[in-house]
Amino acid sequence: MQMQNRTGKIFWVAIAAAAILMGGCQKSGKRYHLTGQVISKKNATNEVEVKHEAIANFMPAMTMTYKVPDSDAVKGLQPGDTIEADVVVPTSGDAYWLDDVVITNGPQGPIKAALAPRLLMPGDTIPDVPLTNQDGKTIHINQLKGKAVLVTFIYTRCPQPTFCPRISSQFAFIHDELAKNPADYQKTHLLSISLDPSYDTAPVLKKYGLAYMDNNPSGFDHWEFAATTPADLGKLAQAFGLEYFQQDNQIVHTMSTVLLGPDGNVAKAWEGNEWKTTDALAALQEAVQKNADARHYTLKGSVNAVDKKSQEITVKHAAIPGYMPAMTMPYKVKDTQLLDTLAPGDQIHAELTIEGDNSYLEKVVVDKHTKGNN
Amino acid sequence: MMTGLKLTLISLLTAALLLSAGCSQSGATASDAGKGGHELYQLHCQECHEGANLNLRKQPPKLNGLFHAKNLPSGEAATDDQVRKTIIEGRGIMPAFDQKLSDKEIEDLVKYLHTI
């Protein structure tokens, strides 16, 4: 797992650099033959995590995530598939990618059997399902973009002191610590989502939450307790790498606590209950600081494509002085509702925000609609 | 379909119950019927109310002598009704045992709490 995390980080840095420098992958580069097994994949971003054998004269056996530009090839892959492919190492020094991916003998073997929901990786997106908070108000995690948000899962009748009561106690500590610094408090948010939506109604969640914030209801402005439908909870659980099921009168569950950065994407994730409140607190503060250090550029161009799934728009844009030349590339958008109104051909200008390894468009203004609405 | 993780979780929870006779409610089933108040206490209450270093927001109070005082740790009157209410509805960070213990089990627990 440690190797996965480390290689994952290296990968993300490399991908960020590659994304900035090129719109798509180049065909040229040195090729190495890879044999391995698919651990996971993301259709939205054309990425495949592969546990592969040693690659002669190139790299030892390891688990690593690769971009696969052929989106049809990604869609055809399933976790557990044994594959052969070419690792392409661009001469430009950009990130490695996979080409000519071939499934050799289908889903089978020990990796498939050992598959379990995996821990989220930085940059992962999560579904924006509607939640009902302790006041009965409908909320969306996406509404919290701009803040660093710590999300976890609990249920109010959980009796195991090392499970939900401990996680909620840790959140209470973090909530209190953040309250000591008004700047941090305003730029952060905590969210506890119930695993027992049929029992954990708004009043039940409110009572539970108050117990952890010294009966001070103003704390709900910063720490919300929410539930959703069983179906949407299932979607969230899948995205958060969480497993839960009902057994007798108990909900048996794993634990997943995730920090979403101000861009709404995963910044850090912890599983289990052994994470330290000081680590989570430091990660929250770092995310806030990174946001404060963000750079902003003006982007002007035309929309080439809108991808609701990956929450990205591809923009053919003019040069951005001091940052990058004119090019066509996909960008995340902060306000995902825009994905419903933007269309290919629209002329836009927007603010491009660069936060550490992440970038996204905000303050998008449509200068000219393709369909002549404006 | 039972994944390896689920099996591991169930095994861990079962082991925890056997070893700690703790506060898990997984035993709060029909199999509890007939268990004495002492066993119910060990199964559902002891881990929190006698635990140390739980790292919880508030340390749950000891329940020894609960009915010997005029008031419960919450300040409410130390009556059977009040203790029954606390078990069912929970209090503070104590979870509700609503729909998890039968009326008979709650009566057995309350009776046992009179003896410690």
Side-chain angles (χ1 to χ4, degrees):
Chain A
M1 180 58 96
Q2 224 168 17
M3 174 64 85
Q4 270 180 267
N5 287 341
R6 196 156 58 88
T7 53
K9 277 177 196 163
I10 294 167
F11 169 76
W12 281 107
V13 171
I15 281 295
I20 288 167
L21 291 168
M22 62 180 194
C25 291
Q26 299 164 14
K27 277 280 177 188
S28 62
K30 196 162 183 182
R31 288 173 177 257
Y32 297 89
H33 189 69
L34 169 150
T35 301
Q37 202 156 23
V38 176
I39 299 295
S40 67
K41 66 162 185 174
K42 280 190 229 163
N43 287 336
T45 51
N46 282 11
E47 287 162 8
V48 178
E49 187 183 16
V50 184
K51 180 175 184 181
H52 61 76
E53 297 170 7
I55 301 173
N57 303 320
F58 184 43
M59 69 167 81
M62 64 173 67
T63 301
M64 186 165 166
T65 304
Y66 293 88
K67 200 94 172 172
V68 182
D70 181 350
S71 55
D72 288 336
V74 179
K75 284 174 191 157
L77 292 173
Q78 292 300 325
D81 282 350
T82 305
I83 60 165
E84 287 188 19
D86 280 346
V87 180
V88 183
V89 182
T91 47
S92 58
D94 294 333
Y96 312 147
W97 53 282
L98 293 188
D99 197 12
D100 296 331
V101 179
V102 177
I103 301 172
T104 49
N105 57 355
Q108 62 180 26
I111 295 177
K112 176 79 172 177
L115 275 179
R118 70 188 193 97
L119 195 59
L120 292 175
M121 299 290 285
D124 282 352
T125 56
I126 56 160
D128 187 35
V129 304
L131 303 163
T132 304
N133 77 0
Q134 71 288 327
D135 294 321
K137 188 180 155 198
T138 301
I139 59 169
H140 287 261
I141 296 177
N142 269 358
Q143 291 170 338
L144 297 168
K145 277 185 183 176
K147 294 185 177 186
V149 186
L150 195 62
V151 186
T152 197
F153 293 83
I154 52 97
Y155 72 104
T156 67
R157 289 185 297 169
C158 180
Q160 272 289 345
T162 53
F163 277 61
C164 309
R166 174 176 293 178
I167 296 295
S168 292
S169 297
Q170 297 194 166
F171 264 51
F173 174 83
I174 292 167
H175 175 71
D176 288 351
E177 286 300 304
L178 290 169
K180 291 175 184 172
N181 181 337
D184 284 348
Y185 194 77
Q186 283 167 13
K187 290 173 185 167
T188 56
H189 203 83
L190 308 183
L191 178 62
S192 297
I193 299 173
S194 171
L195 292 164
D196 188 10
S198 60
Y199 188 86
D200 288 342
T201 57
V204 171
L205 288 169
K206 190 166 198 168
K207 181 182 166 203
Y208 181 85
L210 284 171
Y212 284 94
M213 45 177 76
D214 298 331
N215 287 313
N216 180 2
S218 68
F220 289 129
D221 292 343
H222 183 257
W223 181 9
E224 289 180 279
F225 297 78
T228 186
T229 61
D232 281 345
L233 177 61
K235 286 183 202 166
L236 281 177
Q238 193 175 17
F240 278 86
L242 188 77
E243 200 166 26
Y244 67 101
F245 59 97
Q246 186 101 20
Q247 189 192 19
D248 298 331
N249 290 320
Q250 167 157 288
I251 294 169
V252 179
H253 62 98
T254 56
M255 285 175 277
S256 173
T257 300
V258 172
L259 173 64
L260 303 176
D263 62 352
N265 296 335
V266 174
K268 194 154 186 161
W270 298 268
E271 56 187 351
N273 59 356
E274 296 299 322
W275 52 273
K276 291 187 171 65
T277 49
T278 47
D279 290 346
L281 196 57
L284 273 160
Q285 288 163 334
E286 186 189 343
V288 167
Q289 186 56 42
K290 221 184 236 181
N291 193 38
D293 294 340
R295 291 173 290 140
H296 306 277
Y297 300 94
T298 300
L299 172 147
K300 201 167 181 179
S302 62
V303 176
N304 266 19
V306 177
D307 186 343
K308 289 186 183 176
K309 199 166 182 185
S310 63
Q311 301 180 344
E312 288 176 336
I313 58 173
T314 302
V315 185
K316 181 179 181 182
H317 61 80
I320 301 173
Y323 187 55
M324 69 165 85
M327 65 174 65
T328 303
M329 66 179 279
Y331 292 94
K332 294 266 180 203
V333 290
K334 185 172 181 180
D335 178 5
T336 51
Q337 288 181 342
L338 273 172
L339 299 168
D340 293 326
T341 56
L342 287 174
D346 285 351
Q347 302 287 325
I348 61 164
H349 68 270
E351 186 169 289
L352 171 62
T353 298
I354 313 292
E355 271 175 21
D357 298 336
N358 298 318
S359 64
Y360 55 88
L361 295 180
E362 55 186 334
K363 300 175 187 168
V364 178
V365 175
V366 179
D367 299 317
K368 189 180 173 188
H369 268 302
T370 324
K371 293 168 187 169
N373 294 334
N374 278 347
Chain B
M1 192 173 72
M2 186 71 68
T3 67
L5 178 58
K6 285 181 182 176
L7 286 169
T8 306
L9 276 167
I10 292 170
S11 305
L12 282 170
L13 282 170
T14 307
L17 283 168
L18 289 172
L19 290 168
S20 67
C23 220
S24 166
Q25 67 219 59
S26 63
T29 64
S31 62
D32 272 352
K35 276 200 174 78
H38 182 211
E39 285 175 65
L40 288 164
Y41 173 84
Q42 287 181 316
L43 192 60
H44 300 294
C45 316
Q46 185 171 274
E47 187 172 353
C48 293
H49 287 283
E50 293 187 22
N53 303 320
L54 294 171
N55 295 320
L56 297 181
R57 177 73 167 172
K58 283 181 182 164
Q59 176 65 40
K62 304 275 186 227
L63 299 179
N64 293 28
L66 194 67
F67 283 107
H68 298 167
K70 192 176 170 186
N71 296 100
L72 299 173
S74 63
E76 302 282 354
T79 63
D80 286 9
D81 278 349
Q82 191 57 48
V83 172
R84 203 177 290 121
K85 186 170 184 284
T86 304
I87 293 169
I88 294 168
E89 296 178 5
R91 182 171 188 93
I93 68 166
M94 174 179 163
F97 284 81
D98 186 18
Q99 300 167 32
K100 289 177 180 289
L101 293 174
S102 68
D103 291 348
K104 165 85 169 53
E105 287 166 337
I106 292 172
E107 284 316 304
D108 287 348
L109 253 180
V110 173
K111 275 183 196 163
Y112 174 72
L113 291 171
H114 274 281
T115 69
I116 59 175

